[in-house]
Amino acid sequence: MSEYIKCSKTFQQNELTSATRLTFAECLDRGILRSPDSFKELVFSQNQNQLTDGHLNYDTRNGSPILYPNEITSEWVDGVLPQLQQSSSLLQYVLLSQIKQQGEINAPADSKPALLHKYRFQQHCIGLSGMILDIGCDNPSLSSQLFSANCEYIGIDPYSGSGEFRIIGLGEILPIASNSMDAAIFNTTLDHMLDYITALEEAVRVLKVGGKVVVASYAWLSQATLLTDSVHFHHFREYQIIGALEGLGLTIEKLSRYEDPKNSKHRFGLYVTASKSK
């Protein structure tokens, strides 16, 4: 194992050098959005004031499209699944994810560990260009600042947030056209996805040939039990992430290991870029 990189620099916000965030209208104009049920292209129906694939309709919330499969949204109560026994495997899956997403975040966005990570991630992503999909984007106005002005930014997140445009949907069922993105990003989000292999498969599907998958995550050396973790589905070992990427036919192009920003010895920060060759 290589020694970990020591770096005390922290991220500084600078909207002037950040990626350009695409709007809802621009996503529609470019034919990027797809139905999560039929995977047909979505258009906006002025008559119905809804997105439609010609058969199924999808609502918006706070100016963002809700692109969950209809099987899920038809059972929602105030935007969430009720915590009841579900017979559908898809509803069971989403309910498990919903429960985990109620847990506490690891570190506030303005804390030193978070700012250390953001700087490292930003440095790792230097060189990315074109259209990027940030899977689990959280706050798009902040997350887009981690990428250069050479990038066009689209965020997808399970929740709508406070009004900033993002696609509301699942990383495991990306409502995005195939072969349309130059990069797919998992910035400390892959460990929140129970079926992370499907999420990676979806990321590869939406990438153009030559596109990049970028994963930033903790990699655990010990004390990796999930019995005391109320947020994550995985405490990855490095080989799990590398093996998953290579198993999908991706080529590892860049890998960096940093000391844990919280100074823990049982894990480290892993940053990986892998490319799609065909």
Side-chain angles (χ1 to χ4, degrees), residues 50-241:
Q50 284 182 315
L51 285 173
T52 182
D53 67 357
H55 176 62
L56 296 171
N57 298 325
Y58 300 90
D59 293 325
T60 61
R61 180 187 301 148
N62 296 331
S64 296
I66 304 173
L67 300 184
Y68 275 75
N70 274 206
E71 181 181 349
I72 297 169
T73 56
S74 65
E75 298 295 327
W76 272 359
V77 177
D78 296 326
V80 296
L81 287 175
Q83 293 189 17
L84 304 172
Q85 182 175 350
Q86 302 287 353
S87 58
S88 158
S89 59
L90 180 59
L91 295 180
Q92 289 174 353
Y93 181 90
V94 173
L95 182 57
L96 287 171
S97 298
Q98 183 178 289
I99 291 169
K100 276 289 190 181
Q101 287 161 355
Q102 295 173 354
E104 293 294 326
I105 60 173
N106 276 341
D110 59 352
S111 66
K112 186 174 181 180
L115 294 175
L116 285 167
H117 158 69
K118 288 178 181 179
Y119 175 82
R120 298 166 185 181
F121 182 76
Q122 182 185 51
Q123 294 302 300
H124 185 83
C125 290
I126 289 174
L128 290 183
S129 61
M131 197 175 305
I132 65 173
L133 180 67
D134 189 3
I135 302 168
C137 63
D138 194 21
N139 187 328
S141 64
L142 297 179
S143 297
S144 60
Q145 293 181 42
L146 300 176
F147 306 96
S148 76
N150 296 324
C151 297
E152 294 183 303
Y153 178 94
I154 304 169
I156 180 169
D157 201 86
Y159 294 105
S160 60
S162 59
E164 292 185 32
F165 167 68
R166 89 278 308 275
I167 299 164
I168 305 169
L170 298 172
E172 302 92 327
I173 309 175
L174 290 175
I176 301 292
S178 299
N179 308 306
S180 62
M181 297 288 133
D182 295 290
I185 310 298
F186 295 93
N187 181 11
T188 69
T189 56
L190 195 63
D191 50 3
H192 290 272
M193 298 178 181
L194 177 56
D195 190 355
Y196 71 96
I197 297 295
T198 293
L200 288 171
E201 288 175 336
E202 279 289 273
V204 174
R205 176 184 65 81
V206 304
L207 285 180
K208 302 173 185 176
V209 173
K212 318 290 186 185
V213 174
V214 180
V215 177
S217 178
Y218 280 128
W220 294 70
L221 300 167
S222 63
Q223 302 178 38
T225 178
L226 287 162
L227 298 179
T228 56
D229 190 316
S230 64
V231 179
H232 301 96
F233 280 113
H234 307 283
H235 286 167
F236 289 121
R237 283 65 166 180
E238 180 178 317
Y239 67 82
Q240 291 177 291
I241 295 175

Side-chain angles (χ1 to χ4, degrees), residues 17-81:
T17 59
S18 67
T20 299
R21 285 185 287 150
L22 292 188
T23 66
F24 189 2
E26 287 171 331
C27 290
L28 287 171
D29 288 345
R30 299 190 191 191
I32 293 168
L33 301 183
R34 292 291 185 270
S35 159
D37 296 285
S38 68
F39 284 92
K40 294 179 180 178
E41 183 175 345
L42 291 172
V43 298
F44 193 77
S45 169
Q46 297 291 346
N47 293 334
Q48 297 176 320
N49 197 35
Q50 284 182 315
L51 285 173
T52 182
D53 67 357
H55 176 62
L56 296 171
N57 298 325
Y58 300 90
D59 293 325
T60 61
R61 180 187 301 148
N62 296 331
S64 296
I66 304 173
L67 300 184
Y68 275 75
N70 274 206
E71 181 181 349
I72 297 169
T73 56
S74 65
E75 298 295 327
W76 272 359
V77 177
D78 296 326
V80 296
L81 287 175

